[in-house]
Amino acid sequence: MTVSSRHTESELEPPKDQQHPVRWYRSTFFNITILGLCNFSAPGIWGAMNSLGAGGAETPHLVNAANALTFCLMVVSCYFSSAMVRYIGIKGALIFGTIGYAPFAAGLYTNNRYGTEWLVLLGAALCGISAGVFWMAEAAIAIAYPEPWNRGKALGYWLTYRLGGQILGGAINLGLNAKDNHAGKVSYTVFEVFIALQAAGPLVALLLNRPEHVERKDGKKVELHIAKDPWFEIKKTTQLFFTKRFLLILLFIGQAVFAEAVFFTYLAEWFTVRSRALGSFLAGIIAVTCGNVLGLWLDRTSITLKVRARAAFWLIVILQGGWWTWATINVTKFNRSSPIYDWSSSGFGAAFAIFIFLSIGFQINYLYLYFIIHNLAETQDEIIRYSALLRGSESGWQAVSYGLTSLPLFAKVGGVYFNFVLWAVAIFPAWLVVRQFGSKSVSVEEAGVSGSNASQNDVSQSGEESEQHVAKA
């Protein structure tokens, strides 16, 4: 039978006189801005603390263990998040998701100032419970709300706010610690600002429009809700996880997000306080720029989807390969000589630059993963399920990465070595999925759980319509 596909909508922007009028406070731009501000106040400020190197602590081990706990719980909360949408809606899920971030910032504050450890772990647990729901909700909104011709730019714009938190954190920390040219922990005053910003997250989330109230320039309504009961939703999400196409991108998700713990721990291990602050500030600015450039490329509908998807994939893969080679050489040398680099030190440039490049790699990988999920999801329900699976998989990988980098030897060299190998083995499986985007009449046999369907997708090229023909496996 023929099933309605999300990919039948045209990617081409219609002439201005054919676009539907929208009220600014109902527009997709307004809603993506609100989503971005939520991202800034919650995971953005979390990233700001992390970008100080080990949450601003003198040594990375406690904070990396706390982050591992956070991501373990996020795997669970991501998995059940689509069922939660059934009861509180996507807006309610976003609000709930912002609540747990401030307690973690409070834990880092008390640890930094008083040496308290238990609140770091409690805050990490509360953050993990809420953040998994937040990650699912923001991903689904960012994919579903914008018009097709604005989706790449909207993703880049939204993710800018996440790095905006890192930039702000770096700027504040740099101002407070500019004269601190030795290793150690950052000023606790920084965390007082962070706690206030994260506590504002739920209030900002209240401004988001519900899907049925969003006005798009193509006149289409946003349908982003779950109508079935929770157990049905959990079953469908589980089935989607075991489809061939999602399993093929699991390693690619891993190599992308495993890197965050690796390069922030690298910053904490080998650099002075003020160099760490400079790193978080500069890396945020440069990564924002590169991410938005990628978003513009993915929205170039004058170029076929096939070319856009493949060109972006191979550019990211090749750059990552070069950067991991550089990082491997650095940490191997550092493990023998145990240096601490300040911006006035000899050799600082070669040691510092790779942190900037790996931060860029994380941002462009992150954006490209949303592009992949957008092209995999065939219905609005699948956007929510794929978003939950993507963010849950990210959380699983990051739980492993932060757990391993809490071990001293792995923190120094093992993380870089492992991520290099993970990058290499992820390329071919991901390519088997990416090469299907924009191809006509590509047969994709879904190796799913018992009773699942096989599907053959005609995925749209620039502005071309496609159909999804579904046959029994």
Side-chain angles (χ1 to χ4, degrees), residues 364-384:
I364 59 178
N365 267 287
Y366 218 59
L367 192 149
Y368 192 72
L369 286 172
Y370 290 110
F371 173 79
I372 290 176
I373 290 303
H374 157 64
N375 281 282
L376 290 181
E378 289 293 336
T379 66
Q380 297 295 337
D381 287 355
E382 283 193 356
I383 291 178
I384 296 176

Side-chain angles (χ1 to χ4, degrees), residues 15-334:
K16 297 294 184 183
D17 59 356
Q18 295 180 21
Q19 295 181 13
H20 289 249
V22 299
R23 291 169 289 183
W24 68 269
Y25 58 91
R26 301 290 190 195
S27 67
T28 57
F29 176 77
F30 172 82
N31 283 282
I32 293 299
T33 300
I34 296 301
L35 186 66
L37 290 171
C38 291
N39 195 297
F40 171 83
S41 67
I45 297 299
W46 182 93
M49 294 183 291
N50 216 34
S51 69
L52 302 179
E58 186 168 2
T59 59
H61 312 305
L62 171 66
V63 175
N64 282 350
N67 286 340
L69 173 61
T70 294
F71 286 113
C72 282
L73 290 171
M74 286 176 68
V75 174
V76 178
S77 57
C78 276
Y79 182 70
F80 291 102
S81 59
S82 61
M84 182 180 288
V85 173
R86 169 70 176 81
Y87 292 107
I88 64 175
I90 200 71
K91 179 178 177 178
L94 186 73
I95 295 169
F96 174 84
T98 61
I99 294 172
Y101 282 89
F104 180 59
L108 292 179
Y109 170 80
T110 57
N111 176 253
N112 184 286
R113 189 170 185 180
Y114 307 113
T116 306
E117 295 187 355
W118 67 268
L119 189 55
V120 175
L121 298 176
L122 176 61
L126 294 174
C127 184
I129 292 169
S130 66
V133 179
F134 180 88
W135 276 26
M136 175 284 301
E138 66 165 358
I141 292 166
I143 293 171
Y145 274 34
E147 297 87 357
W149 61 88
N150 282 328
R151 191 166 284 119
K153 293 188 285 292
L155 288 172
Y157 174 65
W158 158 57
L159 290 175
T160 294
Y161 283 89
R162 182 184 65 84
L163 283 177
Q166 177 178 322
I167 294 167
L168 176 65
I172 293 171
N173 193 38
L174 188 60
L176 293 172
N177 298 284
K179 295 181 180 180
D180 200 353
N181 62 349
H182 56 79
K185 61 185 180 181
V186 304
S187 170
Y188 65 80
T189 309
V190 176
F191 293 100
E192 295 174 349
V193 179
F194 290 164
I195 292 169
L197 289 171
Q198 291 197 317
L203 301 177
V204 176
L206 288 170
L207 300 175
L208 186 82
N209 292 156
R210 298 184 185 278
E212 61 271 19
H213 296 153
V214 176
E215 297 175 0
R216 294 188 1 169
K217 292 181 179 179
D218 59 3
K220 293 187 177 180
K221 290 293 183 181
V222 177
E223 297 179 4
L224 200 59
H225 64 276
I226 297 296
K228 301 288 186 178
D229 65 86
W231 290 114
F232 174 86
E233 197 56 38
I234 291 169
K235 178 182 176 182
K236 297 299 290 185
T237 301
T238 304
Q239 288 176 347
L240 205 59
F241 177 85
F242 287 105
T243 55
K244 182 178 180 180
R245 289 190 299 173
F246 189 79
L247 292 176
L248 285 172
I249 66 169
L250 267 181
L251 289 175
F252 195 74
I253 294 171
Q255 65 82 34
V257 300
F258 194 96
E260 184 178 55
V262 174
F263 61 72
F264 282 138
T265 301
Y266 173 89
L267 190 66
E269 287 282 353
W270 309 116
F271 294 89
T272 62
V273 170
R274 67 179 184 178
S275 296
R276 287 154 64 177
L278 178 66
S280 64
F281 179 66
L282 286 181
I285 293 174
I286 297 171
V288 159
T289 303
C290 294
N292 281 285
V293 169
L294 177 60
L296 289 171
W297 166 254
L298 295 176
D299 273 348
R300 289 289 298 273
T301 53
S302 58
I303 301 171
T304 63
L305 174 61
K306 179 178 179 179
V307 172
R308 282 178 280 145
R310 295 183 178 194
F313 176 80
W314 286 113
L315 176 66
I316 292 170
V317 163
I318 292 169
L319 288 175
Q320 285 286 119
W323 295 336
W324 285 122
T325 302
W326 185 349
T328 298
I329 294 170
N330 276 7
V331 297
T332 302
K333 181 173 64 175
F334 298 166

